[in-house]
Amino acid sequence: MLRRTLLLGLCRGPLGRGLGTHRGGSILGKVEGRGGYRGSWMAPSSSSVTFRTQDPAHDVKTVGRLGGGDRDGKMSEIKKKIQSILPGGDWNPLYDTSYLPPESSDVVIVGGGVLGLSVAYWLKKLEKPRGAIRVLVVERDHTYSRASTVLSVGGIRQQFSVPENVQLSLFSIDFLRNINEYLAVADDPPLDIQFNPSGYLLLASEKGAAIMENNVKVQRQEGAKVCLMSPEQLRNKFPWINTEGVALASYGMEHEGWFDPWCLLQGLRRKVQSMGVLFCRGEVTRFVSSSNLMKTASGEEVNVKRIHEVHVKIDQSLEYQPVECAIVINAAGAWSGQVAELAGIGKGPPGTLQGTKLPVELRKRYVYLWHCPQGPGLETPFVIDPSGTYFRREGLGHNYLGGCSPTEEEEPDPGNLEVDHDFFQDRVWPPLAQRVPAFETLKVRSAWAGYYDYNTFDQNGVVGPHPLVINMYFATGFSGHGLQQAPAVGRAVAEMVLEGHFQTINLSSFLFSRFYSGEKVQEHNII
């Protein structure tokens, strides 16, 4: 590594990307070892090499031309002298450019959560030949402290009303149940997703009973194993439930429950890195594109754009790096609407395709953890009350997770992740205690807030290419069920990129064009 550093300093030709040059052909930079800052290096244009330290008594100066047969000897001598004043230090290059993204990548994925990582995985899994596609994932929150993935409650279910959502979840549960067949990495320990197959239990009032029956019919047609239960059957199986106000219940008998979101995230990240996917900690701030004026079948003139370059602002720096690319995947979750705007999406006359925005925005949701010694036992499923309140068991110590989505009028400020504890007292606890009388004595132990990538149009995902920015593809807008469907969505997007159409699951109804045409995908079971 030292040899590479010195060669960079002595090189007369173009220097590596990210290195600055000063007049006279010299380069000035910091050198770091285990002890932190050690000194500075001044590469000469003539015959001497000087390494200056903070203590002038330890300056190292070597005089004589570094050419011909003397070069190797001088280099060796310099190396020994420098190492003598940096005992035991592992050398880093004078200019470390490893944090920069590459200058070009076939695919740039904006967002390194489970959806973005799933797209990366399937692109590499399905590529032919192996190594044909260079994939870069750009993620600004490398700690994932604000990521929807790790702040969710980790549920997975097939109890949806839209056939595509049922299919997505069936594919994903198979992926999760066989996760080490997909994500195993040589010499690394196997993943333990901690899947708890306790099922989902949805409760319906008299008003919602007919809708629930229709939903279950759809679910069964798609292969999900779901049964309907009367209030009496419900009391027999789960005696801790108060069935007042419940006309019907649907219960997932297999392939439903919850799992560890962090394990899936880290498993995907570990796997795609082993497959050669590149990562960059930074934020996409600009797209450089070209455009052509074209006419639609209806005679409307539109600008068709193609992105050629992505500008990535490096984390905690004013520096940015342009990355040439062929494809951009917008998997930025709750921020994907902002990323779409950067590409010019929605910046056109209202009512036109050019003026149609990606209707995905930040929505804050609270999750509460409480303890109740007399609460439901190990057989407790993931329960969803007609009021919208939900809960599930957490671990083995009579702890529970739960919450409730606010109404439009109650939507909290998404500018921070602070928790409103009054919301639990006023909106969550009353229906909980009414449905499970033991919860009258619960004690809240902790709480957190996370984000939904909320699709304000129909609360369903957006998958596939944009009709005008033709090389931007979407994997976003799932409004709370993106985590559980990520393995299937990643494959769908990869199929569209590589083959030009969906193969495993037809997600044509989830394309962006529905926002312009006004054709909603109406999902009744949004939590």
Side-chain angles (χ1 to χ4, degrees), residues 311-323:
H311 285 196
V312 180
K313 180 181 175 295
I314 307 306
D315 186 42
Q316 297 182 342
S317 170
L318 297 177
E319 192 175 7
Y320 80 89
Q321 172 72 30
V323 181

Side-chain angles (χ1 to χ4, degrees), residues 114-115 148-157 160 165 169 200 257 259 261 333-334 360-365 367 382 384 390 405 450-456 458-462 475-486 489 523 525-527:
V114 288
L115 280 166
S148 302
T149 298
V150 298
L151 296 173
S152 74
V153 295
I156 182 165
R157 59 188 165 101
F160 290 96
N165 280 330
S169 289
Y200 266 66
F259 63 95
V360 177
E361 61 184 43
L362 283 169
R363 291 289 177 94
K364 185 165 75 171
R365 296 292 181 264
V367 178
F382 197 126
I384 302 173
Y390 68 87
S405 291
Y451 289 124
Y452 272 11
D453 53 340
Y454 193 80
N455 175 356
T456 59
D458 60 12
Q459 292 81 61
N460 273 300
V462 191
T476 186
F478 285 86
S479 307
H481 50 275
L483 169 67
Q484 61 183 287
Q485 296 180 344
V489 172
E523 173 58 62
N525 287 347
I526 296 294
I527 300 172

Side-chain angles (χ1 to χ4, degrees), residues 31-39 86:
V31 179
E32 295 183 5
R34 287 178 181 167
Y37 175 78
R38 297 291 190 179
L86 292 174

Side-chain angles (χ1 to χ4, degrees), residues 24-44:
S26 64
I27 308 166
L28 181 65
K30 291 183 178 180
V31 179
E32 295 183 5
R34 287 178 181 167
Y37 175 78
R38 297 291 190 179
S40 62
W41 164 263
M42 182 71 74

Side-chain angles (χ1 to χ4, degrees), residues 427-464:
R427 290 278 283 107
V428 180
W429 188 29
L432 277 177
Q434 192 272 334
R435 186 62 57 211
V436 182
F439 284 160
E440 285 278 4
T441 59
L442 66 78
K443 291 185 178 180
V444 177
R445 287 189 163 176
S446 64
W448 65 86
Y451 289 124
Y452 272 11
D453 53 340
Y454 193 80
N455 175 356
T456 59
F457 182 74
D458 60 12
Q459 292 81 61
N460 273 300
V462 191
V463 182

